[in-house]
Amino acid sequence: MTNLTSIFKRAAEGNKDWTLEDARRFLQEIAVAYPDSDVDWEQGDEEWGRVICGDSVVGLLCAKIPIAILIGGHWSLNTQEGMTSQGIEVVC
């Protein structure tokens, strides 16, 4: 099992300008990797957005801190590097 504590700490201490609009924009960018995917927003205390392809969640992105979890291995290095260059912590 991978310990994500340091990744969440870096994200929480990182980009202080992170907004809900940023999160929504990056969710759409994640969805581009899966042409038949849908974006689903889970608003509430944690405020996670999800990219869903068929019956599977393939990406998660948090609106409170800049962190994305990419699931499934279909992610290009460009997608990961692009998100990291924008101050988003990426977990694959």
Side-chain angles (χ1 to χ4, degrees):
M1 187 161 111
T2 302
N3 185 338
L4 301 176
T5 302
S6 63
I7 294 169
F8 274 87
K9 282 182 181 179
R10 274 195 315 268
E13 295 168 357
N15 188 345
K16 301 295 183 186
D17 297 326
W18 184 248
T19 66
L20 178 60
E21 292 76 30
D22 292 330
R24 290 179 191 262
R25 180 171 48 91
F26 278 103
L27 269 178
Q28 291 301 323
E29 289 185 22
I30 293 170
V32 168
Y34 288 88
D36 295 326
S37 65
D38 293 308
V39 173
D40 178 51
W41 196 256
E42 189 178 304
Q43 291 184 315
D45 291 339
E46 296 179 11
E47 297 189 6
W48 285 90
R50 303 180 296 176
V51 177
I52 300 171
C53 188
D55 293 334
S56 301
V57 175
V58 295
L60 298 163
L61 191 116
C62 184
K64 290 195 173 197
I65 61 172
I67 190 166
I69 300 171
L70 306 178
I71 303 163
H74 297 289
W75 303 101
S76 71
L77 187 58
N78 288 338
T79 301
Q80 295 172 37
E81 287 178 351
M83 294 179 79
T84 302
S85 72
Q86 295 294 316
I88 300 172
E89 291 291 331
V90 177
V91 179
C92 296

